[in-house]
Amino acid sequence: MAKYTRGTVTAFTPFDARADAEALRKAMKGMGTDEETVLTVLTTRNNAQRQEIASAFKTLFGRDLVDDLKSELTGKFETLMVSLMRPAYIFDAHALKHAIKGAGTNEKVLTEILASRTSAEVQNIKQVYQQEYEADLEDKITGETSGHFQRLLVVLLQANRDPDVGVDEALVEQDAQVLFRAGELKWGTDEEKFITILGTRSVSHLRRVFDKYMTISGFQIEETIDRETSGDLEKLLLAVVKCIRSVPAYFAETLYYSMKGAGTDDDTLIRVLVSRSEIDLLDIRREFRKNFAKSLYQMIQKDTSGDYRKALLLLCGGDDD
């Protein structure tokens, strides 16, 4: 796995799992809860350290830390703290399981995770899903989706994107022409061509294809996708294109729209901040500031409140203004 160093949350030093476990127990014992202690400890330790704290908590008190958090906290703040406690390796598999569980499928979560994760990460998600839930992720997803949206999800689940080794300009030209003919030049759209090329070519190859496509057609590939496709397929194709261009920019936009306008999509806000906090949240913050003329910190501050806001701002890790 790639070693990520652009997160806002790093290993806390000096770290003492027992002392943290004792502080958390004290914060939740008896009448009332000291939320400040809970949120400060959990947002300033990294995921591996939080697992050590949970283990020390059980050793010292015979209690399950996550169960205690669930019984002592409520609402969005509880959801955030429990998400922080989820072991990093299972985070994506758990999110996908819940996206395809029960009535209705959460296409937004399927799109976000499968468009943005590397091939190695997707392979890992599939293995973890099988181990933890004794079910095949692809079977589960195909059972809940249909049409070209399903086809592209299945392509992405194969995690067989070409490796990034050199770019063949002749193939770049060919792919750009194929996409042009499959979309703008065609009555109706040949979605399959978009699915195969966007789902299997390497990142550096596709970046060149997008440039070449612009030269040939006079359009950004996103404009064509917007015009030629619709619904869940359109959203997934656009997410794939955006992630090929820049994963941090994709997440900056995802965060922006989770808070823009009336109401907040707290599930998305929590999922993205927690899952990227140790990976590339610094890069996401930079893209956010560049593209939306305000800092992520300011937007969270304006859009949330209470202990939930305090914890999100600690995860965000600073203002960029």
Side-chain angles (χ1 to χ4, degrees):
M1 292 299 292
K3 278 316 263 180
Y4 297 105
T5 53
R6 300 287 302 154
T8 54
V9 175
T10 52
F12 183 85
T13 52
F15 174 61
D16 180 343
R18 285 191 158 226
D20 284 349
E22 281 164 357
L24 288 171
R25 175 69 183 129
K26 189 172 166 216
M28 293 189 282
K29 200 174 172 179
M31 292 294 289
T33 305
D34 169 9
E35 287 89 356
E36 191 82 29
T37 297
V38 174
L39 71 87
T40 304
V41 170
L42 296 187
T43 58
T44 54
R45 310 305 188 259
N46 70 10
N47 193 277
Q49 291 175 326
R50 290 180 211 124
Q51 306 317 316
E52 287 185 53
I53 295 168
S55 163
F57 196 88
K58 196 163 270 185
T59 299
L60 294 172
F61 312 114
R63 304 175 69 90
D64 186 284
L65 177 54
V66 174
D67 287 348
D68 278 10
L69 290 168
K70 285 177 175 171
S71 72
E72 293 294 325
L73 310 175
T74 57
K76 296 174 283 200
F77 181 57
E78 176 197 335
T79 306
L80 176 56
M81 293 299 109
V82 170
S83 295
L84 286 170
M85 289 307 304
R86 193 162 293 122
Y89 80 91
I90 197 182
F91 194 92
D92 287 343
H94 179 272
L96 289 169
K97 179 171 171 59
H98 285 267
I100 44 189
K101 186 175 133 187
T105 306
N106 189 336
E107 291 84 3
K108 182 186 264 182
V109 175
L110 299 185
T111 294
E112 179 195 300
I113 292 177
L114 293 175
S116 66
R117 302 313 192 247
T118 64
S119 292
E121 286 166 339
V122 173
Q123 291 289 13
N124 187 52
I125 291 167
K126 290 195 294 187
Q127 281 172 339
V128 170
Y129 199 96
Q130 186 68 54
Q131 284 158 6
E132 296 289 326
Y133 307 122
E134 295 179 345
D136 183 77
L137 178 57
E138 189 182 316
D139 289 349
K140 289 290 181 195
I141 286 178
T142 50
E144 296 293 332
T145 56
S146 62
H148 288 107
F149 175 62
Q150 179 199 75
R151 302 266 180 277
L152 180 49
L153 288 172
V154 171
V155 168
L156 295 171
L157 277 167
Q158 302 319 298
N160 270 333
R161 194 175 283 291
D162 297 337
D164 259 322
V165 283
V167 172
D168 174 351
E169 287 300 330
L171 186 59
V172 166
E173 174 82 38
Q174 184 188 318
D175 279 352
Q177 292 285 359
V178 166
L179 289 173
F180 185 45
R181 288 197 296 272
E184 297 291 344
L185 284 190
K186 198 173 183 326
W187 179 252
T189 309
D190 184 352
E191 291 92 351
E192 200 160 88
K193 297 279 194 291
F194 280 83
I195 288 169
T196 302
I197 292 173
L198 293 178
T200 62
R201 300 289 196 257
S202 77
V203 170
S204 47
H205 172 84
L206 283 171
R207 285 177 183 161
R208 291 285 303 116
V209 170
F210 298 161
D211 291 343
K212 181 65 76 177
Y213 185 86
M214 179 76 190
T215 309
I216 294 169
S217 70
F219 298 115
Q220 293 285 14
I221 187 88
E222 289 93 333
E223 296 175 82
T224 295
I225 290 169
D226 193 34
R227 260 200 305 278
E228 300 288 332
T229 61
S230 62
D232 294 323
L233 174 66
E234 177 191 344
K235 293 188 185 108
L236 181 54
L237 284 167
L238 286 173
V240 169
V241 168
K242 286 167 185 172
C243 288
I244 293 294
R245 290 193 189 274
S246 163
V247 169
Y250 168 72
F251 280 118
E253 186 181 315
T254 302
L255 286 168
Y256 178 75
Y257 285 107
S258 76
M259 292 181 280
K260 186 182 186 293
T264 304
D265 176 356
D266 292 292
D267 286 342
T268 296
L269 184 53
I270 291 169
R271 187 177 58 253
V272 174
L273 280 179
V274 172
S275 66
R276 308 312 288 187
S277 60
E278 293 182 42
I279 297 178
D280 54 3
L281 192 47
L282 288 171
D283 296 324
I284 293 167
R285 271 170 40 186
R286 196 181 62 226
E287 291 293 333
F288 196 99
R289 182 72 192 80
K290 190 173 87 191
N291 297 333
F292 301 110
K294 62 176 77 148
S295 67
L296 176 59
Y297 191 93
Q298 286 168 345
M299 199 155 179
I300 292 170
Q301 201 163 31
K302 193 168 115 306
D303 221 69
T304 57
S305 62
D307 295 314
Y308 175 55
R309 169 165 64 189
K310 281 184 198 163
L312 289 172
L313 292 175
L314 281 169
L315 277 183
C316 179
D319 198 346
D320 300 296
D321 262 4

